[in-house]
Amino acid sequence: MTSERSSSSFPAQAGPSGPGGPATPYRMTVTTALPHTDALALADQCLAAWLKQEWREEPPPHEPGAGAPRTERLRLGERVLLDRDGGPLDGPPPGGRYDRRRIGTPAPHGTDRLTLTVATGPTGPTWLRLEATTHPTGSGVRTPGRVPVPEVVRSLLPLLDATDGPAAVPAAPRVLTAAGVDRLVDELCDPDRRMPTVVASVPAGLGTDRWLADVVGPLCDQLPGLAGLYVLDADARTRFNVAFEFHAVYGGAVRTYLPEVDPASRRDGRRHPVLARNRIEEAPRRAAALLAREPRRLAAERPLPPVLAGVPPLRVPRPAPAAEAAPVAPAHGREEHGRVTHPARHEVRRERHHERPKPAAPPGAAGARAAGPGQGRVSVGRLCAAAPGGAGTLTGPTTPVRRPGRRHAGPPGGRGGVPLTFTELMARLGEFPLLTFTGDQKAALALDELRCAGGGWARLTWDGLTALQEYAEAAVRGQAGGDFKQWCERTPAGCHRFPPRKAVRGESRTVHSHAKWKRERMLPVPECVDASRRAFMGAHLRIGGGRTAPRLHYLDDCSGSGRIYVGYIGLHLTNTRTN
């Protein structure tokens, strides 16, 4: 029997993920013998129970459409969105189908997103994939190193009797006796196994149940849905190590068996890392993170099986064009365009109840509020709204909606053209349906008094707002392909181009660490975005050249409320280069 010291061990570092970078997502891919309809019903049941436990609205029953895929977006509460779609799989062979659920929920300074897909081919088992991700709303936001295992996974796995090829995928480690060793050996050697399998041994002289409860259970807490989990009792350990001479595990150690084990190869034994007992007991939480790293990596890098690869991209319903949007009733309510669910109607009534009086209009806004036929309305004050296409409502002062970004006929600076002053620009912000200005207009209006750059600053600001609007339209449908900086670098054909060098993702580390400068950039947002009604807006657009030229600061919340919040337009805020 080989010594474990000759086997590979886990490295000292748990990986580069951590605060300041994106959280490592959670991805689970399993199969079940249940029919597609039964597996989907169990998944919906677990999702509804989880939403209810989190004090959120339970979604109404899904009514699948016949034939072509049907997509719907429901708002279940403030910043809680549910997208549901389903239909035939793309590509041959015909006869496959899928159903998908995507839930976005608020997180500190960001949005948590959970996507669950059930897919079945014309033959074979039912596949289920679940992905959980975190999307920060700005740069420099501290996020957890890893997205934790969603609670819905722990409740769903036992109901599905989930499997990975020949191996069961449990929600918690299970004790294996000598009678089950042969089956475990077959599972480890089976070429159809895609997930790693974690096998724990029990130290001599300690009870199996106690070791499982005190050590192995907490150690494997981050592994449900990512690996097979076993604990060998004393007799099973002896029999297993005889069969797996070059891959033995004992003495309270835990070993991760990667796919494609060759039990007859001493060299292959070095490929399957061992976590020794002393490292587990010295730092249990660190040991749990080390143990979860390899299963997470494999889950992220593993290619999708053909059935799941045939699931088409999620296409969220497009926002209704301005000419088709339903008008807002002046005082007693509003007509909703499209299907409105019961939870959404509840949100509408609640937000109307708390609607605040309208503030005074900015200079020059009176003419901008003369809406033409068929024009809808959009808020330019404080709001809490679902993404366009959802069943939300907007609150606050309103101005008419008109599609921006094209140089309409008319004299320069006139109505329909590009504004040459910030007074006109601020009055026409309602032409950007997915942008909301939350700041103080005085800083922007004061730029007209400088007259340093003629109408150049106003024109460039308008260009930036136009590009932000077009980016937001794509982002709420999941089609932006990255953040606004990346959008500017690869602007799609037919869209308004904004110079990439003028789109800045975030502020410097110096600004982040300087309390006063950071406080200047904590700008107003609706309560549905942050409970404090303030958020750090490090992302900004450079308006004009020079170190102290004006800036436009914004918060991209397209993955949450489906909007971009512009918190400041004015002269450069304080930093090391300003006076």
Side-chain angles (χ1 to χ4, degrees), residues 67-100:
R70 175 180 176 181
T71 305
E72 62 179 349
R73 166 165 281 188
L74 306 176
R75 181 180 181 188
L76 307 180
E78 290 187 354
R79 294 183 63 202
V80 181
L81 300 175
L82 168 63
D83 299 320
R84 300 193 291 204
D85 73 328
L89 296 174
D90 287 345
R97 59 177 290 202
Y98 79 96
D99 285 276
R100 175 169 41 202

Side-chain angles (χ1 to χ4, degrees), residues 484-497:
F484 181 65
K485 175 78 169 181
Q486 293 169 300
W487 175 271
C488 294
E489 292 169 347
R490 302 187 298 271
T491 305
C495 292
H496 194 96
R497 187 179 182 277

Side-chain angles (χ1 to χ4, degrees), residues 40-192:
L40 179 62
L42 289 174
D44 281 338
Q45 174 185 332
C46 291
L47 289 174
W50 170 68
L51 286 168
K52 188 174 181 180
Q53 183 180 5
E54 295 291 323
W55 301 98
R56 298 187 173 99
E57 295 278 1
E58 207 171 318
H62 184 49
E63 301 172 0
R70 175 180 176 181
T71 305
E72 62 179 349
R73 166 165 281 188
L74 306 176
R75 181 180 181 188
L76 307 180
E78 290 187 354
R79 294 183 63 202
V80 181
L81 300 175
L82 168 63
D83 299 320
R84 300 193 291 204
D85 73 328
L89 296 174
D90 287 345
R97 59 177 290 202
Y98 79 96
D99 285 276
R100 175 169 41 202
R101 312 287 185 256
R102 187 176 74 176
I103 301 175
T105 57
H109 302 292
T111 300
D112 288 337
R113 181 175 292 167
L114 186 146
T115 306
L116 187 149
T117 306
V118 179
T120 309
T123 60
T126 301
W127 288 86
L128 186 140
R129 179 172 173 85
L130 188 146
E131 181 175 15
T133 56
T134 295
H135 301 266
T137 53
S139 60
V141 175
R142 294 178 63 87
T143 60
R146 295 179 177 89
V147 176
V149 178
E151 286 303 314
V152 68
V153 169
R154 305 180 194 274
S155 59
L156 187 57
L157 285 175
L159 297 176
L160 293 174
D161 290 328
T163 56
D164 169 42
V169 182
R174 57 182 181 176
V175 176
L176 201 67
T177 63
V181 168
D182 289 343
R183 181 175 179 181
L184 173 59
V185 170
D186 290 341
E187 288 181 2
L188 295 179
C189 299
D190 196 300
D192 292 333

Side-chain angles (χ1 to χ4, degrees), residues 438 488 513 547:
T438 63
C488 294
S513 59
R547 295 178 176 180

Side-chain angles (χ1 to χ4, degrees), residues 21-41:
T24 304
Y26 172 92
R27 295 187 177 98
M28 175 187 77
T29 305
V30 296
T31 57
T32 178
L34 295 174
H36 184 104
T37 304
D38 293 349
L40 179 62

